Amino acid sequence: MAIKFSRNECIFTLTTKRTAYAFQIAKGKYPVHLYYGKKSGEIKPWDPYVVSFSPYLAEFGNTWSPDIFPQEISFFGAGDFRTSALRLAGKDGNSVTSFDYKSYHYIDGTADIPGLPQARGGEDVKTLCITMEDKVTGCLLNLYYTVFYECDVITRHMELINKKKDDVVIEKCMSMTLDLPNDEYDMITLYGGHYDERNLSRNPIAHGNQSIFSRRGASSPQFNPFFALCDHKATENKGDVYGFNLVYSGSFLAEVEVDQMGHTRVQTGLGSECFRYTLKGGERFVSPEAVMTYSAKGFGEMSRNFHKFVLGHILPEKAVKNPHPVVLNTWEACYFNIDEEKLVAFAEESAKCGFDMLVMDDGWFGARNHDHAGLGDWTPNPEKFKNGLKSFVDRVKAKGISFGIWIEPEMINPDSELYRAHPDWCLRVPGRPTSLSRDQLVLDMSNPSVIAYLKGIFAKTFDGVAIDYFKWDMNRHLSEVGSAALPPEQQCEVFYRYQKGVYELLQWFNETFPDAMIETCSGGGGRYDLGMMCYGWQIWASDNTHPYDRIWMQRSALMGYPAATMSCHVSNPGENEKSLDFRYKVAVGGMLGYELNILRMTEPIKAIMSRQTKEYHRYESLIRTGEYYSLACPFETCYECHYYANEEHSQFLFGLSFKRSAKAGFVTAPMKISLADKNATYRDLLSDKVYSGEELKNGLRFTASGEEYEAILMWLVKE
Ligand code: GLA
């Protein structure tokens, strides 16, 4: 049983394949956290003690202060001075929040999170629901714990139900609280910006509150919602690591707070700065789903837990089962300068090179000849496509290649027909100027009329057009967040309602165009999150396609997300064959595509690309579904090295890329394929060289020549 309740001690124990999580109901009131770690660890009831200046209830005595014991959920204002997960204001106006334990029940599979993306269930998935109640506001609170046994993942979310007539205002909402018993951790985060996504930061935590967040209405490249805590000595293969994430794509807050006792509180959720919600009588509110995993064997196991979880429960099933197409994307090749004849020629050459799909990027609609106009007008530009979209797409397909198209549904240029017709459909605040970004404004996705309009226009434009792929972009963040469609008391709900509108439209796309895949994007990897992954097959990892930068960007994405989610393009190598080879070897760390002007490529370059696509199709499934092992981290040394292994461990795709800083004669450490069978031999099908399993287990060393663009790729298959 993955979930157990011991009546004597009132202890709930949740177990996954290798981990256990436990809490106790103390005094019939408080859910007290006891344990999260190895399955074999000792779980015992909380031993209460006194700390001066800590508030307590007279009935329980001074050893039971909510400020001291570890909590499963922390409430604001009722004796716990640490950061809170829930703050509610009822009709009496104060924000003191307090709920008492009431009951529990089990659910087979998952509990529904209406309107938000969530992890899918499966045979090994069970949910525990703890119900709490507050007699003052009349609210019920459900805390959900969903156990994904095989992945060593537990997810958490909360649900509030207002049972009375009076409104209750949710002022802060975090999807999970985890109180760890010490403060001996480093915090790992992925920070950055546009063109510079997912730098890896590792810092010891300190007394006080350290957080990552987005106030931008998108999960953002500034901080990815993935983060981890690990012991100070943790490495790829050793040490305790706790990994966290949130199935959400909008503004968020993740906090790590060390208190006076040297305990560490971890929370992630909607926070309070970009969120406030009026819960009317009879209504219910459900938070996004938070994700936790624990590894006793370093970062590698944490990443593999997350990868398994994302492949098994987050990504659409067909995105995991089916090969992802090798696309040729027109953006870096043409920018806005596209038309039918040019792209049909692109399609013809692409098919010859073995690409699966032509993706027509920005510039095909309205007056979109640059980024100052046309956004919002989703009808094909008649000058560029004289016989309409369908006739153009049919011509592309006749070349033997499938077709994808770029859209940015959430945005609008002030210079557009749509804006002229509906200026009130943008996010804005009365009496204040509205900021531009990339010359565009943000549509009010919290307004049902906007969503209905978008469904109508896209249904019309793509009616009968055989589209196989949508690239869904989002190229600015949200400012002056206000909606003309909501009353003043609900204006602080707009960030959250916007996100729900985006999800509704994504869901509609998947239902209306069931044969098309979605690739999401936000100025590159600006919404690289589990929320988006529930709708799309993959995410454009960055607008920065330089392979030297991609080495570290891809490595850090793999901390929390599998390679199947990562769209990686080979961009223009000029006539430099070595550069093309290197770009390819880096790009096959994820899902391959190309982004270059195929009409300008020389015959030798095209011949190499044909070989590459042919080769890639043979081992793509290893990258998409294989287990990932990192052997060298580019943040620590002058090269990156990893391999993907199939389930039977009979095939490995091994990649090593030297950074620009690798000096001539530099020799790597032995790169050990520890999953190799020492009694077998393996053939590298790319070079035809044979290696003994023992040799691979002991590790191969590689020497840098000091020249530019040096990478090794081996596809090792057991004989
Ligand atoms: C963003 C995307 C690019 C491209 C442009 C088009 O920057 O990340 O790949 O689609 O928009 O405007």
Side-chain angles (χ1 to χ4, degrees):
M1 258 288 263
I3 306 173
K4 224 175 60 192
F5 179 56
S6 116
R7 254 167 228 290
N8 288 345
E9 295 169 307
C10 274
I11 291 179
F12 290 94
T13 309
L14 281 47
T15 48
T16 68
K17 207 170 173 180
R18 289 170 291 202
T19 72
Y21 183 100
F23 60 93
Q24 156 197 13
I25 305 300
K27 302 292 171 194
K29 173 179 168 73
Y30 302 118
V32 175
H33 179 73
L34 298 178
Y35 180 81
Y36 189 26
K38 266 187 214 164
K39 205 169 186 168
S40 55
E42 191 191 359
I43 296 170
K44 46 180 199 289
W46 176 249
D47 192 7
Y49 55 90
V50 185
V51 173
S52 42
F53 292 96
S54 296
Y56 55 88
L57 294 181
E59 59 187 304
F60 302 136
N62 63 355
T63 56
W64 280 98
S65 169
D67 196 35
I68 302 306
F69 58 77
Q71 311 261 7
E72 282 300 308
I73 169 135
S74 54
F75 300 118
F76 176 81
D80 184 353
F81 297 118
R82 297 168 288 179
T83 184
S84 55
L86 188 62
R87 196 172 72 215
L88 293 182
K91 72 166 181 201
D92 53 8
N94 73 72
S95 305
V96 173
T97 307
S98 180
F99 284 79
D100 298 340
Y101 172 79
K102 186 172 189 280
S103 60
Y104 74 94
H105 67 274
Y106 300 130
I107 300 167
D108 239 355
T110 62
D112 265 3
I113 309 186
L116 292 178
Q118 68 175 116
R120 276 192 312 278
E123 269 175 25
D124 64 327
V125 179
K126 300 266 174 303
T127 299
L128 165 67
C129 175
I130 298 290
T131 300
M132 304 182 79
E133 69 179 338
D134 172 22
K135 296 218 167 76
V136 177
T137 57
C139 285
L140 279 187
L141 171 65
N142 287 324
L143 305 180
Y144 292 99
Y145 298 78
T146 301
V147 181
F148 297 81
Y149 187 88
E150 288 295 325
C151 316
D152 286 315
V153 161
I154 297 173
T155 66
R156 317 254 307 257
H157 72 274
M158 67 159 88
E159 176 181 46
L160 262 174
I161 306 164
N162 186 350
K163 292 286 211 187
K164 285 199 179 157
K165 279 205 297 295
D166 299 312
D167 291 358
V168 169
V169 179
I170 311 172
E171 295 179 332
K172 184 176 183 191
C173 174
M174 302 298 272
S175 301
M176 58 149 285
T177 300
L178 173 66
D179 280 347
L180 294 168
N182 65 62
D183 60 356
E184 301 288 302
Y185 301 109
D186 288 345
M187 184 171 177
I188 310 280
T189 64
L190 305 179
Y191 70 94
H194 177 230
Y195 223 75
D196 183 31
E197 291 91 337
R198 295 179 302 279
N199 294 274
L200 195 70
S201 139
R202 177 175 184 165
N203 282 305
I205 58 169
H207 277 262
N209 187 303
Q210 33 258 285
S211 62
I212 56 166
F213 50 84
S214 163
R215 305 178 188 112
R216 296 163 177 271
S219 53
S220 92
Q222 281 70 20
F223 288 116
N224 188 279
F226 157 85
F227 66 105
L229 292 183
C230 61
D231 68 56
H232 296 313
K233 289 193 179 149
T235 63
E236 188 61 20
N237 301 312
K238 284 201 184 105
D240 288 325
V241 185
Y242 295 92
F244 305 93
N245 213 326
L246 189 65
V247 188
Y248 194 63
S249 314
S251 299
F252 72 96
L253 171 70
E255 301 177 286
V256 173
E257 188 170 293
V258 178
D259 67 12
Q260 57 175 332
M261 315 302 305
H263 301 159
T264 302
R265 172 161 293 176
V266 187
Q267 301 196 138
T268 186
L270 293 167
S272 61
E273 256 184 307
C274 299
F275 174 78
R276 201 168 76 214
Y277 195 94
T278 303
L279 192 64
K280 302 214 159 67
E283 268 187 8
R284 72 180 58 208
F285 173 86
V286 188
S287 79
E289 187 173 27
V291 182
M292 328 185 287
T293 191
Y294 163 78
S295 151
K297 290 194 181 151
F299 303 114
E301 191 168 283
M302 171 202 69
S303 299
R304 285 185 291 280
N305 291 348
F306 278 138
H307 296 178
K308 202 166 185 183
F309 173 69
V310 173
L311 291 172
H313 302 279
I314 293 283
L315 280 177
E317 275 170 276
K318 50 187 181 176
V320 181
K321 286 206 184 107
N322 297 305
H324 292 204
V326 175
V327 307
L328 177 76
N329 180 294
T330 59
W331 180 244
E332 285 190 32
C334 317
Y335 297 105
F336 295 98
N337 189 11
I338 52 173
D339 62 43
E340 174 155 351
E341 293 315 315
K342 190 190 226 175
L343 295 191
V344 170
F346 261 60
E348 185 163 352
E349 285 307 307
S350 302
K352 284 190 203 153
C353 288
F355 301 143
D356 303 306
M357 182 184 283
L358 177 75
V359 173
M360 174 165 74
D361 211 283
D362 200 351
W364 59 269
F365 50 90
R368 189 76 171 164
N369 298 316
H370 39 67
D371 59 12
H372 316 314
L375 203 52
D377 298 338
W378 298 110
T379 42
N381 180 324
E383 279 163 33
K384 294 179 181 174
F385 303 97
K386 298 211 165 46
N387 301 312
L389 198 56
K390 180 174 174 352
S391 144
F392 160 63
V393 175
D394 289 346
R395 284 183 71 194
V396 167
K397 296 228 163 160
K399 303 291 177 197
I401 192 163
S402 56
F403 178 76
I405 198 163
W406 180 94
I407 51 174
E408 193 181 1
E410 300 154 66
M411 299 291 158
I412 183 167
N413 284 124
D415 184 1
S416 65
E417 297 305 325
L418 183 64
Y419 185 78
R420 283 183 277 276
H422 293 285
D424 55 325
W425 277 4
C426 293
L427 293 181
R428 64 165 36 128
V429 166
R432 298 194 188 281
T434 311
S435 310
L436 290 168
S437 176
R438 206 197 187 198
D439 233 322
Q440 61 198 53
L441 298 170
V442 185
L443 279 176
D444 177 4
M445 301 295 281
S446 74
N447 180 347
S449 309
V450 171
I451 303 291
Y453 170 80
L454 290 170
K455 288 179 185 171
I457 187 70
F458 284 121
K460 197 164 154 213
T461 299
F462 299 135
D463 182 32
V465 187
I467 290 180
D468 304 297
Y469 159 117
F470 293 102
K471 177 173 170 189
W472 180 304
D473 212 337
M474 187 226 192
N475 281 322
R476 69 156 286 181
H477 291 149
L478 279 50
S479 63
E480 292 90 18
V481 178
S483 166
L486 286 169
E489 67 276 14
Q490 287 188 288
Q491 289 298 316
C492 294
E493 296 173 17
V494 178
F495 272 107
Y496 171 75
R497 288 179 180 272
Y498 175 98
Q499 204 46 57
K500 285 184 88 167
V502 172
Y503 292 140
E504 182 186 331
L505 195 61
L506 276 160
Q507 181 70 19
W508 178 85
F509 261 83
N510 274 334
E511 285 163 8
T512 310
F513 307 104
D515 299 329
M517 64 178 270
I518 296 175
E519 169 165 338
T520 60
C521 170
S522 178
R527 258 193 326 203
Y528 210 104
D529 60 65
L530 297 178
M532 285 291 138
M533 286 171 197
C534 289
Y535 302 91
W537 287 39
Q538 56 190 34
I539 300 183
W540 179 224
S542 175
D543 278 353
N544 182 345
T545 53
H546 200 289
Y548 278 123
D549 295 334
R550 280 297 184 116
I551 290 175
W552 53 260
M553 286 182 179
Q554 295 178 191
R555 166 65 192 105
S556 48
L558 284 156
M559 293 286 288
Y561 309 97
T565 63
M566 196 161 63
S567 169
C568 304
H569 291 182
V570 171
S571 57
N572 190 5
E575 291 183 23
N576 185 337
E577 293 179 14
K578 203 160 176 211
S579 162
L580 175 59
D581 180 66
F582 185 76
R583 285 165 194 268
Y584 171 78
K585 285 176 177 162
V586 172
V588 299
M591 301 287 94
L592 176 70
Y594 290 75
E595 186 143 347
L596 39 79
N597 190 336
I598 189 109
L599 305 180
R600 296 214 184 115
M601 295 297 123
T602 61
E603 287 309 318
I605 289 284
K606 282 196 274 188
I608 297 174
M609 292 196 297
S610 302
R611 280 204 298 279
Q612 290 176 339
T613 52
K614 210 174 195 172
E615 179 183 305
Y616 173 76
H617 283 121
R618 294 172 65 204
Y619 48 65
E620 183 263 357
S621 70
L622 258 180
I623 309 164
R624 175 167 34 93
T625 61
E627 282 178 20
Y628 169 77
Y629 288 83
S630 170
L631 302 182
C633 176
F635 291 92
E636 289 160 10
T637 179
C638 65
Y639 58 102
E640 184 279 337
C641 185
H642 65 267
Y643 66 91
Y644 293 104
N646 66 350
E647 216 178 330
E648 301 76 35
H649 300 166
S650 59
Q651 288 198 29
F652 308 113
L653 187 72
F654 174 97
L656 184 145
S657 319
F658 283 108
K659 284 168 44 180
R660 212 184 254 126
S661 54
K663 298 209 170 61
F666 170 86
V667 182
T668 69
M671 296 291 102
K672 299 179 182 170
I673 302 187
S674 50
L675 295 181
D677 171 357
K678 75 172 184 331
N679 300 316
T681 55
Y682 293 80
R683 184 177 297 273
D684 171 14
L685 296 188
L686 306 181
S687 68
D688 219 28
K689 230 174 132 180
V690 174
Y691 297 88
S692 74
E694 190 151 16
E695 217 176 335
L696 296 178
K697 264 183 127 50
N698 291 338
L700 306 174
R701 289 180 188 270
F702 299 85
T703 306
S705 68
E707 285 171 22
E708 241 191 341
Y709 301 135
E710 211 173 358
I712 289 117
L713 189 69
M714 296 193 287
W715 179 20
L716 298 158
V717 178
K718 195 171 179 175
E719 294 200 307

